[in-house]
Amino acid sequence: MQALQEWFMSQSGVVQALLATTFTWLLTAAGAALVFLFKTASRKWLDGMLGFTGGVMIAASYWSLLAPAIELSEAHGGVPWLAPAIGFGAGALFLFALDRFVPHLHINFKKEESEGIETNWHKTTLLVLAITLHNIPEGLAVGVAFGAAAIGIDGFEIGAAVALAIGIGLQNFPEGFAVSMPLKRQGVSNFKSFWYGQLSAIVEPIAGVVGALTVIYAQPFLPYALAFAAGAMIYVVIEEVVPESQRDKYTDVSTLGFIGGFLVMMILDVALG
């Protein structure tokens, strides 16, 4: 284990970001693989997992991204809130644009409730695209964190980046299951349900590398990049995760799941960061 840790630390920030986001992707695949073990899953369990996902994302947005962006902006001597505010707004608008134009369908929604431009694509494709949009800001967040740690920015330690990757990975595990199981309920085969479930997170390594490269080669944009990822994640939680988890009678379960996810991410960031 010590040798593995030393090897990881010896890698560049881009490679670390790639490895970390590959880890989060693999946890999504592990969650999606549960369709081979379970014939069905209760709506209560799925709503609780969605709530957990939202809690992790909200906590990560503040502790791992927005608060460091404000601190860094203040350290540079400028208006402390300006760069974070611009980045946060830009991240939310970026996801808003994707949400408006990319055809997709949120979990637990009916086919006629699909969003984006009109299309005749299959419901399965629309579901996968929805989770893919969800995973873009997660990959960006992890990549930006590792990029910042790699170039030695004060206040950005490798432990904080690892904590963020672990938190995102933990919420990706139930998320993979939450994607694959509804597909199975629609009559999709076990293998295809698993395949589409893990495929939704393959965008994370790509986004992670983009985030790390942006930070490493454009350091002045770091506060903007951190806040951008935070704004994108907050948009996803409010527009997608929360509504999906509140459409049935298990709203209390999803709320408790949200609290649990928030606590887990907060503890990880404080303990490791």
Side-chain angles (χ1 to χ4, degrees):
M1 180 63 70
Q2 182 66 27
L4 180 62
Q5 181 178 351
E6 291 177 356
W7 176 82
F8 180 81
M9 294 296 293
S10 68
Q11 303 303 306
S12 68
V14 174
V15 173
Q16 289 177 347
L18 177 61
L19 293 171
T21 47
T22 298
F23 163 77
T24 62
W25 169 36
L26 290 175
L27 281 182
T28 303
L34 292 178
V35 294
F36 294 108
L37 302 178
F38 299 95
K39 293 183 178 180
T40 186
S42 71
R43 181 62 182 270
K44 179 189 294 187
W45 173 243
L46 292 174
D47 285 350
M49 290 190 294
L50 284 172
F52 181 87
T53 293
V56 169
M57 293 177 73
I58 290 288
S61 296
Y62 177 72
W63 269 281
S64 300
L65 300 168
L66 194 56
I70 294 171
E71 293 174 4
L72 185 61
S73 183
E74 186 175 20
H76 286 170
V79 180
W81 53 264
L82 184 58
I86 293 173
F88 188 89
L93 288 174
F94 173 69
L95 260 294
F96 170 75
L98 291 179
D99 189 68
R100 287 292 299 273
F101 295 108
V102 177
H104 62 285
L105 177 66
H106 298 315
I107 299 172
N108 300 326
F109 282 54
K110 298 177 181 179
K111 175 70 182 293
E112 55 268 24
E113 296 178 280
S114 61
E115 301 178 3
I117 59 175
E118 293 188 12
T119 177
N120 292 323
W121 292 352
H122 193 274
K123 186 177 181 180
T124 299
T125 303
L126 296 174
L127 282 168
V128 173
L129 282 174
I131 303 301
T132 299
L133 293 180
H134 176 148
N135 286 323
I136 290 174
E138 296 175 4
L140 282 174
V142 174
V144 167
F146 275 97
I151 58 180
I153 300 293
D154 290 339
F156 292 89
E157 305 297 334
I158 190 67
V162 170
L164 179 59
I166 292 174
I168 295 298
L170 286 176
Q171 64 94 25
N172 273 5
F173 181 82
E175 184 179 273
F177 185 57
V179 175
S180 59
M181 187 53 70
L183 295 177
K184 183 174 181 176
R185 287 205 304 264
Q186 295 174 27
V188 179
S189 69
N190 283 346
F191 179 78
K192 284 187 176 181
S193 297
F194 160 74
W195 178 256
Y196 288 125
Q198 64 82 30
L199 190 64
S200 65
I202 199 170
V203 70
E204 288 193 8
I206 300 171
V209 169
V210 170
L213 286 171
T214 300
V215 170
I216 291 173
Y217 293 103
Q219 294 184 29
F221 287 100
L222 179 55
Y224 298 93
L226 289 164
F228 182 95
M233 286 215 289
I234 294 294
Y235 184 91
V236 166
V237 173
I238 301 303
E239 199 278 335
E240 177 184 335
V241 177
V242 171
E244 288 173 3
S245 69
Q246 300 289 314
R247 288 174 63 87
D248 210 321
K249 60 184 178 180
Y250 303 113
T251 56
D252 54 343
V253 175
S254 64
T255 301
L256 290 174
F258 185 100
I259 298 299
F262 189 97
L263 286 173
V264 167
M265 188 64 238
M266 180 184 70
I267 292 169
L268 280 172
D269 191 84
V270 174
L272 299 180

